[in-house]
Amino acid sequence: KAGVTQTPRYLIKTRGQQVTLSCSPISGHRSVSWYQQTPGQGLQFLFEYFSETQRNKGNFPGRFSGRQFSNSRSEMNVSTLELGDSALYLCASSLISGSQDEQYFGPGTRLTVT
Amino acid sequence: AQSVSQHNHHVILSEAASLELGCNYSYGGTVNLFWYVQYPGQHLQLLLKYFSGDPLVKGIKGFEAEFIKSKFSFNLRKPSVQWSDTAEYFCAVNAGSGNTGKLIFGQGTTLQVKP
């Protein structure tokens, strides 16, 4: 079974631009969560989607948004990029949206903002 | 606010030494606990998890963890580490009521095992 895939793997953007990251969950998984990983803040929860609905949102500004499609694929968007948005963005999928579900992580998208 | 604290940021051990990584969380209700590992160049993957029952849980690759409710702790242990255990280890908590996949992670512990 193929794992979680994320595209692109690497991205360089300029301050003020916007970016869209994509995540394809494991086949059959209906929940997708996004996390931001930085050396200073560690792994922080961004949001979670299940059946095209946002179930939960972390403590990030409104510039960070996401969506989920009917095939469970998910995208996250960051508008008006800031230098501090440079990070590894991880996507994780699970069968359903449950507190006991194992989350399977993708390789991440490394975003660099210059 | 809920938080997870990992006390050791960087641990260096020789092969065959015993390992214990500390993890404490702050949440008074029911929690689901996880340890994830990230080997160099690889994805985060689950080592073990605790939901209920026996507070001593066993995971992959010889790892185990003990949940001590009174101490809000979920420490990871391995009796004898190998060079291949060199990785970053993350403790995570899901403190939701059921319908949420939100994980709160600790800062991570980098383990370096010397051959």
Side-chain angles (χ1 to χ4, degrees), chain B residues 14 19-21 47-48 59-60 63 76-77 86-87 92 105 110 115:
Chain B
S14 298
L19 170 72
E20 180 158 4
L21 301 182
L47 264 182
L48 47 77
I60 61 172
F63 286 91
L76 181 71
R77 300 196 291 246
T86 295
F105 283 89
T110 301

Side-chain angles (χ1 to χ4, degrees), chain B residues 9-84:
Chain B
H9 296 296
H10 196 165
V11 174
I12 302 174
L13 294 173
S14 298
E15 274 193 314
S18 64
L19 170 72
E20 180 158 4
L21 301 182
C23 172
N24 286 89
Y25 62 91
S26 64
Y27 183 71
T30 302
V31 291
N32 300 298
L33 300 158
F34 305 81
W35 274 98
Y36 280 85
V37 61
Q38 190 169 31
Y39 297 104
Q42 295 188 26
H43 309 179
L44 266 173
Q45 58 183 280
L46 184 69
L47 264 182
L48 47 77
K49 57 189 176 185
Y50 173 79
F51 302 148
S52 63
D54 188 344
L56 186 62
V57 292
K58 296 191 184 301
I60 61 172
K61 304 187 180 187
F63 286 91
E64 64 179 30
E66 184 176 15
F67 170 56
I68 303 179
K69 189 174 182 179
S70 60
K71 294 185 178 180
F72 299 91
S73 70
F74 189 54
N75 292 353
L76 181 71
R77 300 196 291 246
K78 186 171 184 179
S80 176
V81 294
Q82 301 172 313
W83 177 79
S84 58

Side-chain angles (χ1 to χ4, degrees), chain A residues 48-73:
Chain A
E48 178 197 8
Y49 287 88
F50 177 73
S51 292
E52 302 177 66
T53 302
Q54 188 179 88
R55 276 286 180 94
N56 219 326
K57 191 177 191 307
N59 197 20
F60 278 82
R63 300 185 297 107
F64 292 80
S65 63
R67 59 177 175 168
Q68 187 181 34
F69 302 95
S70 58
N71 62 358
S72 295
R73 192 177 69 84

Side-chain angles (χ1 to χ4, degrees), chain A residues 35 41 48 56 98-100 103, chain B residues 32 36 51 94 98 100-101 107:
Chain A
Y35 296 85
Q41 299 297 318
E48 178 197 8
N56 219 326
S99 58
Q100 298 182 354
Q103 294 188 21
Chain B
N32 300 298
Y36 280 85
F51 302 148
N94 186 318
T100 173
Q107 284 288 89

Side-chain angles (χ1 to χ4, degrees), chain A residues 87-103:
Chain A
L88 182 67
Y89 290 88
L90 294 173
C91 166
S93 76
S94 58
L95 273 171
I96 58 174
S97 176
S99 58
Q100 298 182 354
D101 284 338
E102 176 179 351
Q103 294 188 21

Side-chain angles (χ1 to χ4, degrees), chain A residues 79-90:
Chain A
S79 62
T80 319
L81 283 166
E82 300 177 359
L83 293 178
D85 297 333
S86 294
L88 182 67
Y89 290 88
L90 294 173

Side-chain angles (χ1 to χ4, degrees), chain A residues 32-52:
Chain A
V32 172
S33 297
W34 289 89
Y35 296 85
Q36 181 196 65
Q37 186 176 20
T38 59
Q41 299 297 318
L43 276 154
Q44 293 186 287
F45 173 80
L46 278 156
F47 26 64
E48 178 197 8
Y49 287 88
F50 177 73
S51 292
E52 302 177 66

